[in-house]
Amino acid sequence: MEENFASLEKYNFWNGNVPELGFLRKEYTDKIFDYTGNKLIKVLIGQRRVGKSYILRQLAYRLISEGTNPENIFYINKEFTEFDAVQNYQDLEDLYKLYKSKLKPSGKIYLFIDEIQNIEGWERFVNSHSQDYVEASELFISGSNSKMLSGELATLLSGRYVSFEIFPFSFNEYTGITDKNASKQSYIEYMESGALPELFVLPNEETRRNYIRAIKDTVLLRDVIQRHQIKDPKLLEDIFIYIVNNSSNLLSITNIVNFFKSNNRKTSYDTVSNYLGFIENTFLIHRAERYDIKGKETISGNCKYYINDLSFKNYLYPGFGYGIGYKLENLVYLELRRAGYEVYVGITRNKEIDFVAKKADRLIYIQSTYLLLGEDTIRREYNPLETIKDSYEKWVISLDDISLPSQQGIRHIRVWELWQELL
């Protein structure tokens, strides 16, 4: 492990070194920082390349700015090849002991371990140090698999961690990094590009397309094919493509199986179901279940899928028919999730409500549409909401230039103004 100490020096804040911090994602850092100063393990989860590493470094830098000695920060990113030697929790423990013997930090140590799921048995290291009452430490970890905190691990760490799902840039962050004003035009530009942080430092369309393709290939290969020993990698990718091009549509596994069978592709219900689950675990896609508004319960069967970033659609599969209204719906879903809402597809009196969004005591029924062009479109979007007789908030969200007055308690919200309405 001695040879790995140089890598630790390279990526840490010691000796006046400041690793790249990227665009400050204050909405996340403020929220996470509220949970510091205790033994809770701070867990950042989300798709590869959404910016978890930057946020971890921003948190470390904030600790230093508020008085923490830089030598009390221990940071490792398992994605970096320099740390390939750290294969399991014992290797990580050896590296941590080497750090302490070299720097001899005094007081609480803050451990930042990025993409920790790549370290075998990592939970043993985390559980040990998070509960060590002799040597004070506080842990911040990140991972790219939604099952990282499931099953036995959730039981092991029960009540001792708090998780934060990290998404690509919000529209608010997009305007911040591009110095653009929030408007209909800038929102359309946001919708037609992508929101993964690295996209904003790439020089042209071709490099962005290659970058997005590399992310897709890496996630499917490393996080799905290798981990789950997938027997039909081509089918796995084709299922992902199918979801990208049918995002915001009600789907069932049977629909997907029949689609492939109609194209002379042999598959089964169980295979498609498993492959979908594997892709969902990587955060490339999200599932929204149907919700019976009258019965106040979820309904099994059909559901909707949304992609984690529209760059997969815009840069990889732009030739397929896909209306701007579907992209808008996808972005509204992501914004609701960013704001901490549970999101469902509403069903009432055989009518569909795009979203039922729930957060604590707040519940919002939402319709999203590209433009409210004419009375027929207005009636189509408002009528399902009018059939709901309870007193919870009801919104119609669109890209219209002018905000329409409320109708029967239903508010119209321009999509580029959505974020402040959710706070």
Side-chain angles (χ1 to χ4, degrees):
M1 281 295 154
E2 188 77 31
E3 64 274 12
N4 288 303
F5 189 73
S7 299
L8 276 179
E9 288 186 305
K10 176 181 177 181
Y11 293 110
N12 273 275
F13 291 80
W14 315 329
N15 303 318
N17 182 40
V18 180
E20 186 179 355
L21 298 174
F23 177 79
L24 179 59
R25 304 191 72 180
K26 197 171 185 299
E27 289 162 1
Y28 286 114
T29 55
D30 283 353
K31 186 188 303 182
I32 298 167
F33 214 79
D34 285 342
Y35 288 86
T36 57
N38 51 60
K39 286 190 169 292
L40 285 175
I41 305 158
K42 272 61 78 173
V43 186
L44 280 62
I45 55 174
Q47 179 204 303
R48 289 181 186 268
R49 305 294 179 264
V50 294
K52 300 187 297 296
S53 301
Y54 284 113
I55 292 172
L56 284 180
R57 292 196 291 271
Q58 289 169 13
L59 289 166
Y61 186 70
R62 180 165 171 177
L63 284 169
I64 293 167
S65 301
E66 297 189 5
T68 299
N69 187 331
E71 294 187 352
N72 284 56
I73 305 287
F74 174 90
Y75 174 84
I76 173 177
N77 188 334
K78 194 58 181 68
E79 284 284 275
F80 298 153
T81 56
E82 287 94 332
F83 297 111
D84 282 351
V86 182
Q87 292 293 315
N88 55 52
Y89 75 96
Q90 293 166 319
D91 297 332
L92 180 58
E93 184 66 38
D94 289 342
L95 186 61
Y96 180 56
K97 288 178 178 177
L98 176 64
Y99 146 77
K100 289 194 295 180
S101 70
K102 293 277 191 181
L103 271 65
K104 297 179 173 55
S106 175
K108 180 188 280 191
I109 298 173
Y110 296 87
L111 295 92
F112 292 81
I113 307 171
D114 216 346
E115 297 298 348
I116 199 171
Q117 79 280 350
N118 295 329
I119 300 174
E120 185 179 350
W122 63 267
E123 60 272 16
R124 298 185 66 174
F125 178 92
V126 167
N127 194 48
S128 173
H129 288 285
S130 67
Q131 298 307 304
D132 190 338
Y133 287 91
V134 176
E135 183 181 85
S137 60
E138 192 165 344
L139 283 91
F140 300 76
I141 65 177
S142 80
S144 301
N145 191 292
S146 66
K147 296 299 182 185
M148 196 177 83
L149 293 168
S150 65
E152 294 179 4
L153 180 58
T155 302
L156 181 67
L157 302 179
S158 179
R160 300 204 297 272
Y161 73 88
V162 57
S163 64
F164 306 88
E165 186 170 353
I166 310 301
F167 289 89
F169 282 158
S170 65
F171 176 63
N172 189 45
E173 291 174 315
Y174 172 83
T175 56
I177 199 170
T178 59
D179 289 325
K180 293 182 178 180
N181 294 322
S183 66
K184 176 178 179 177
Q185 182 57 40
S186 59
Y187 195 90
I188 291 173
E189 291 168 3
Y190 170 67
M191 182 187 302
E192 296 300 328
S193 56
L196 296 174
E198 292 292 337
L199 285 173
F200 296 89
V201 298
L202 298 177
N204 54 51
E205 199 85 356
E206 183 178 356
T207 55
R208 295 186 192 104
R209 183 176 297 108
N210 290 335
Y211 173 71
I212 296 301
R213 183 178 292 110
I215 292 175
K216 182 260 296 180
D217 291 344
T218 299
V219 172
L220 293 183
L221 176 64
R222 293 180 58 178
D223 296 337
V224 181
I225 294 171
Q226 292 179 352
R227 178 167 297 174
H228 300 286
Q229 299 179 328
I230 296 298
K231 295 179 180 179
D232 191 345
K234 183 64 167 63
L235 177 63
L236 177 78
E237 181 171 8
D238 287 345
I239 289 173
F240 175 65
I241 295 171
Y242 182 87
I243 295 299
V244 169
N245 288 305
N246 288 276
S247 173
S248 306
N249 286 317
L250 272 177
L251 299 173
S252 71
I253 293 173
T254 301
N255 293 151
I256 301 171
V257 171
N258 290 339
F259 169 80
F260 284 111
K261 285 184 175 179
S262 69
N263 286 276
N264 300 315
R265 296 284 297 280
K266 290 185 178 180
T267 188
S268 68
Y269 184 99
D270 288 344
T271 298
V272 171
S273 178
N274 288 335
Y275 284 12
L276 269 175
F278 296 151
I279 297 170
E280 190 178 352
N281 290 345
T282 68
F283 300 96
L284 284 177
I285 61 175
H286 304 277
R287 181 177 69 238
E289 302 284 0
R290 290 185 302 163
Y291 181 84
D292 180 354
I293 292 173
K294 184 177 181 180
K296 308 297 183 187
E297 60 184 5
T298 56
I299 308 170
S300 61
N302 293 4
C303 63
K304 286 189 178 185
Y305 287 93
Y306 298 94
I307 51 179
N308 197 45
D309 190 67
L310 287 179
S311 59
F312 295 109
K313 173 63 188 174
N314 294 329
Y315 290 109
L316 299 186
Y317 315 112
F320 293 84
Y322 196 83
I324 195 168
Y326 293 107
K327 291 185 181 182
L328 181 73
E329 184 177 330
N330 202 123
L331 290 179
V332 170
Y333 171 86
L334 293 174
E335 197 77 326
L336 291 167
R337 289 290 310 280
R338 276 191 201 94
Y341 287 80
E342 298 174 49
V343 186
Y344 305 91
V345 179
I347 303 296
T348 178
R349 300 185 184 180
N350 296 318
K351 296 181 183 293
E352 180 184 308
I353 306 297
D354 288 336
F355 299 117
V356 178
K358 301 170 68 176
K359 182 180 179 181
D361 294 330
R362 191 178 190 186
L363 189 148
I364 315 169
Y365 302 112
I366 298 171
Q367 290 286 79
S368 71
T369 187
Y370 171 35
L371 293 173
L372 292 167
L373 295 171
E375 192 61 34
D376 289 344
T377 305
I378 292 173
R379 290 267 44 94
R380 186 189 69 220
E381 300 301 332
Y382 278 73
N383 182 257
L385 295 173
E386 290 170 356
T387 65
I388 304 172
K389 299 306 180 184
D390 62 39
S391 58
Y392 290 112
E393 295 174 81
K394 302 174 181 68
W395 298 351
V396 173
I397 300 172
S398 77
L399 263 169
D400 287 276
D401 293 297
I402 300 172
S403 184
L404 302 181
S406 294
Q407 298 184 29
Q408 298 187 41
I410 301 170
R411 294 181 58 204
H412 172 238
I413 294 171
R414 298 181 298 183
V415 68
W416 60 92
E417 298 171 337
L418 174 60
W419 180 253
Q420 53 262 40
E421 297 291 342
L422 293 172
L423 300 179

